[in-house]
C-alpha cells in the first residue's frame, strides 16, 4: 500500500477557465466546448505542479515547501472553479457519453476541494504542506537516540525486544502525529466547506462518489467485500495472537483479547510478514529460502532490484522503461537532505516521464514494493493515449492492484526463472502451508487496516467525530476491525492517525483495501490465461505474452469506461469479489482452524 503520485489523478479535474466557442449554438455544444478547452489547457499547470511536488518530496526545506504549497493552491483553485462550472453543465440533457463522463470526473476526482473564496486554497495548501513536512522530517527514538521513520520501519521488523518496540512505536506516534492534530482539524473544516460548495455532503461523500456508483452503494460494496474475507482474518488473528503469547508471555501479550500493536513487525500493524519467524509452523514453516538473503547473496543493489522489476514487465511484452526513468528517479535516501521516503510512483508529464521515489534497502519487502510501484508506472504509460480526463485507473483500487498482482507471481518458480533461487531449493508441496502463511501475514493482515483508515476519516468529515475525539475514535476502530491496541496509554491530545503517511498527505485509503481484493481476481485471471494447472498460489505468469496482451487491453482503457467494463476486459466478470482471495488461501484457512481448536477467537 504505497502512495501513487499520479499527475493524472491531480489533473483529472484540473482545467482552465472556460472559454466557450463563439459558434456554440446549443447547450450541448457549449458543454462540449468547455470540456475541449479544459483538456487542451490543463497540461502545463499539471507539469509545473508535478515538478514542484517532486522537488519538495526529494528535497524538503522551507523554500520547496512554499513552492509546492503555491502550486497546490493554484491547482486546487482551478479545480474547484472548473468543478463548479462542470456541475452546471452536467445538468444539460442529451450530452454525449464522453462529455457527460468527463464533467462527472471533474467534480468527483478532487481529493480535497478548497472553498471558492479568496485565499482558501492557499491556506489549505500551506497547512497540507506543513503537515507533510512534519511527517517527512519526523523522528522517533530507540534507546533514547533519534531514529528516522525509514529506519524505524526496518528496525520494528527485526527487533524482538518488546521494550524497544514500545519505545519506537510510542515516540514515532507522539512526535509525528500529535503536532499536526490542530492543522488536520483546520484542513477538515476547509475541505468540507469546499466539498459542500460542489454539492456533496462532505469530503467523505465526495470520495465515495468516485466509483461509478452512489456514496451509499460504495460503502455497502466495501462492507460486503469485508464480510466475505473477514473469517480468514479472524482465523489468522487467533493464530498469531497465540504465537505471540508463546513468544513473549502473558505480561506482554495475553492469550485472549486484542494484540499489542507494536509486536506485529510494522509501525502501523498493517502487515505482519516481518514476524513470520515467530509464527512459522514447525517443518512446513521453513520454506527453504529468504528473499532478503538471496538478494544479498547475488549482490543485488537498489538499481539491480529495480532492473529485475522492469524485467518482469518486459517478459510480458511491455516496452522497457525510458532512459529518463533511470536518470530522474530517487532510488536511495540522499545523505545530505531530508526527503519523503514513502515509496511512490510518478508520471510528471502524463506521457513518458515516469519515475519512482523510494529509499530502497536490499531486502525482500522493498523488492516486492518495487514491483508494486512499477505497476503504477506501466499503467500510467499504457493509458497515455487517452484523453486528459481519462488519464487514470479504472478506479484507484485498480491502480494499486496491478503491481500487487505482479507481486503475487513472485513465486519460487519466478525466483528460479530470474536466477535468484536454485531449482533444487524450490520448496516442495509439504511447504505450502508456510508459503501461504507468509503471504497471509501481509495480504490478509492488511485487510481491516485498509478498510478502517477511510472509515475513520469518513466519520471525521461527516462531523460524527470531533477533534477532541480524534484519538479515541482511531483507537476504537483499530480495536473493532483489527483487534489491536496501542502499547502505551494514548491521551486525548494524541493523533496517532497522523503518524500514517496517507493522513497528512490526504490520500484516500480505501483504494488499498480494494487492491487487496482485486489483485487476487487479476492474478487468478492471469493464471487462467497462462494455462496454469497447479495450485493457484504456485502460479507464475512471468514470461507469458498472452497475459501481457490481455493485461494491456485493460490498462490502456484508463478511466474512459466505468470500472466494471475494465474488470470484465481482463477477468470476464463485472463484480468485485473476495472469492478469488478466499480460494487462494483456502488450504491455509483449513489449517489455521485446525491449529486454533480450543482457542478463543475474536477480541
Amino acid at each position: 500500500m504505497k502512495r501513487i503520485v499520479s499527475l493524472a489523478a491531480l489533473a483529472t479535474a484540473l482545467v482552465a477557465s472556460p472559454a466557450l466557442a463563439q459558434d456554440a449554438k446549443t447547450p450541448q455544444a457549449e458543454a462540449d466546448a468547455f470540456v475541449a478547452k479544459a483538456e487542451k489547457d490543463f497540461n502545463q499547470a499539471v507539469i509545473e505542479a508535478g515538478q514542484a511536488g517532486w522537488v519538495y518530496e526529494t528535497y524538503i526545506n522551507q523554500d520547496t515547501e512554499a513552492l509546492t504549497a503555491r502550486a497546490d493552491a493554484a491547482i486546487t483553485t482551478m479545480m474547484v472553479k472548473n468543478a463548479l462550472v462542470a456541475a452546471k453543465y452536467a445538468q444539460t440533457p442529451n450530452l454525449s457519453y464522453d462529455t457527460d463522463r468527463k464533467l462527472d470526473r471533474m467534480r468527483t476526482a478532487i481529493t480535497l476541494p478548497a472553498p471558492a473564496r479568496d485565499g482558501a486554497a492557499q491556506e489549505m495548501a500551506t497547512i497540507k504542506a506543513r503537515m507533510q513536512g512534519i511527517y517527512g522530517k519526523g523522528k522517533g527514538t530507540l534507546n533514547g537516540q533519534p531514529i528516522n521513520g525509514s529506519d524505524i520501519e526496518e528496525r520494528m521488523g527485526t527487533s524482538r525486544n518488546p521494550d524497544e518496540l514500545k519505545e519506537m512505536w510510542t515516540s514515532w506516534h507522539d512526535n509525528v502525529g500529535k503536532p499536526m492534530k490542530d492543522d488536520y482539524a483546520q484542513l477538515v473544516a476547509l475541505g468540507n466547506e469546499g466539498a459542500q460548495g460542489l454539492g456533496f455532503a462532505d469530503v467523505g461523500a465526495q470520495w465515495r462518489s468516485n466509483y461509478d456508483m452512489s456514496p451509499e452503494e460504495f460503502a455497502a460494496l466495501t462492507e460486503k467485500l469485508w464480510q466475505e474475507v473477514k473469517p480468514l482474518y479472524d482465523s489468522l488473528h487467533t493464530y498469531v495472537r497465540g504465537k505471540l503469547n508463546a513468544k513473549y508471555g502473558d505480561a506482554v501479550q495475553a492469550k485472549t483479547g486484542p494484540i499489542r500493536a507494536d509486536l506485529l513487525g510494522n509501525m502501523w500493524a498493517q502487515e505482519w510478514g516481518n514476524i513470520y519467524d515467530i509464527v512459522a509452523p514447525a517443518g512446513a514453516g521453513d520454506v527453504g529460502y529468504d528473499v532478503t538473503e538471496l538478494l544479498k547473496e547475488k549482490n543485488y543493489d537498489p538499481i539491480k532490484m529495480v532492473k529485475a522489476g522492469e524485467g518482469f514487465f518486459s517478459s510480458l511484452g511491455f516496452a522497457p522503461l525510458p532512459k529518463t526513468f533511470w536518470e530522474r528517479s530517487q532510488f536511495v535516501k540522499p545523505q545530505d537532505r531530508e526527503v519523503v521516503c514513502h515509496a511512490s510512483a510518478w508520471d510528471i508529464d502524463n506521457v513518458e516521464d515516469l519515475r519512482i521515489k523510494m529509499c530502497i534497502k536490499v531486502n525482500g519487502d522493498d523488492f516486492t514494493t518495487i514491483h508494486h510501484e512499477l505497476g503504477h508506472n506501466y499503467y500510467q504509460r499504457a493509458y497515455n493515449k487517452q484523453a486528459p480526463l481519462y488519464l487514470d485507473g479504472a478506479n484507484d483500487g485498480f491502480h494499486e492492484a496491478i503491481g500487487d498482482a505482479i507481486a503475487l507471481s513472485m513465486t519460487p518458480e519466478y525466483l528460479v526463472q530470474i536466477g535468484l533461487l536454485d531449482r533444487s531449493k524450490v520448496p516442495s508441496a509439504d511447504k505450502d502451508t508456510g508459503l501461504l502463511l507468509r503471504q497471509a501475514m501481509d495480504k490478509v493482515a492488511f485487510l481491516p487496516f485498509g478498510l478502517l483508515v477511510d472509515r475513520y476519516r469518513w466519520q471525521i468529515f461527516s462531523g460524527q467525530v470531533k477533534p477532541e475525539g480524534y484519538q479515541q475514535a482511531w483507537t476504537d476502530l483499530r480495536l473493532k476491525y483489527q483487534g489491536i491496541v496501542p502499547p502505551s496509554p494514548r491521551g486525548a491530545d494524541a493523533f496517532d492517525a497522523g503518524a500514517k503517511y496517507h493522513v497528512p498527505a490526504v490520500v484516500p485509503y480505501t483504494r488499498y483495501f480494494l487492491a487487496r481484493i482485486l489483485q487476487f481476481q487479476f492474478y487468478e485471471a492471469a493464471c487462467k490465461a497462462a494455462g496454469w494447472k497447479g495450485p493457484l498460489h504456485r502460479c507464475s505468469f512471468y514470461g507469458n505474452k498472452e497475459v501481457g496482451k490481455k493485461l494491456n487491453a485493460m490498462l490502456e482503457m484508463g478511466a474512459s469506461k466505468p470500472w466494471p467494463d475494465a474488470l470484465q476486459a481482463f477477468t470476464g466478470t463485472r463484480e468485485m469479489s473476495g472469492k478469488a482471495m478466499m480460494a487462494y488461501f483456502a488450504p491455509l484457512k483449513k489449517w489455521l482452524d485446525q491449529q486454533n481448536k480450543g482457542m478463543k477467537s475474536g477480541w
Side-chain angles (χ1 to χ4, degrees), residues 264-307:
L264 290 164
N266 177 273
M267 282 210 287
W268 308 280
Q270 66 184 57
E271 292 174 323
W272 306 347
N274 286 329
I275 63 162
Y276 178 74
D277 59 291
I278 295 176
V279 306
D286 179 10
V287 297
Y289 69 91
D290 179 88
V291 175
T292 297
E293 293 176 2
L294 293 175
L295 291 169
K296 292 179 177 178
E297 287 172 4
K298 299 292 185 179
N299 297 314
Y300 271 66
D301 58 21
I303 298 297
K304 190 173 181 180
M305 291 166 68
V306 181
K307 287 285 187 181

Side-chain angles (χ1 to χ4, degrees), residues 482-494:
Q482 286 185 282
I484 67 167
V485 290
S488 56
R490 312 304 295 154
D493 62 334

Side-chain angles (χ1 to χ4, degrees), residues 219-258:
L221 173 61
T222 57
E223 183 62 29
K224 177 187 83 74
L225 294 171
W226 168 236
Q227 292 303 324
E228 285 179 346
V229 296
K230 184 177 182 294
L232 180 58
Y233 178 80
D234 289 347
S235 295
L236 182 67
H237 182 282
T238 302
Y239 176 78
V240 170
R241 180 181 59 199
K243 291 295 185 180
L244 289 171
N245 172 260
K247 169 74 174 177
Y248 294 115
D250 293 345
V252 173
Q253 176 58 58
K255 290 185 177 70
T256 60

